[in-house]
Amino acid sequence: MNYLPPATSLITFLWSGGESILLVPMATRIIDVKLLISEVLRIPIPIDRQELSWEGQCLKDELTLQDYHIPPTAFLVIYKKIEVKIYLEFDGHCYVYVVFDGITVGELKAKLQTEQGVDIEHKVLWMVDNSYLDDHAQLLVAGDVEGA
């Protein structure tokens, strides 16, 4: 007897406002899952600002739940993409990134080093209100807001 994977998954979506559950066909593309999140669950994050993650992996819009072998009951995390500006006091440069709010401060600093060649050793990020951002904190936990 051949095992057939289920046609639908009972997905629990975890986000900063709580969690919501939705029955989703496995053949659904990630972009369409995002549409369901907005229209059915009414989670107030626009589709173009949603980042879906499963087991630490960001899901690509053009692929399906089935492509990722997501089990019949799974937890997906919804992150919000935000724009952050990093101003470097020592040289006056400003860099703008669109990242998801689940990124850690350390990951953001590493991105700055990799993409801009900025030496991040012994450097810290501060919010505009002068609060220190720990490298292990996620931006959403740090209370980062759009454009900060």
Side-chain angles (χ1 to χ4, degrees), residues 14-34:
L14 305 173
W15 59 296
S16 60
E19 63 180 60
S20 303
I21 299 174
L22 189 63
L23 190 62
V24 183
M26 292 296 293
T28 305
R29 292 180 311 152
I30 300 305
I31 189 70
D32 295 321
V33 172
K34 291 178 179 182

Side-chain angles (χ1 to χ4, degrees), residues 70-125:
I70 294 177
T73 56
F75 291 89
L76 296 184
V77 178
I78 304 169
Y79 292 108
K80 181 179 179 182
K81 293 180 188 174
I82 58 174
E83 181 180 277
V84 293
K85 295 177 185 172
I86 302 174
Y87 175 75
L88 304 180
E89 285 185 336
F90 63 88
D91 68 2
H93 281 91
C94 183
Y95 300 98
V96 178
Y97 288 104
V98 174
V99 296
F100 65 94
D101 60 1
I103 192 171
T104 66
V105 172
E107 291 169 331
L108 184 57
K109 286 170 54 178
K111 185 177 189 66
L112 189 62
Q113 179 172 336
T114 302
E115 294 178 10
Q116 306 300 332
V118 175
D119 177 20
I120 62 168
E121 190 170 347
H122 306 298
K123 305 279 191 314
V124 296
L125 291 183

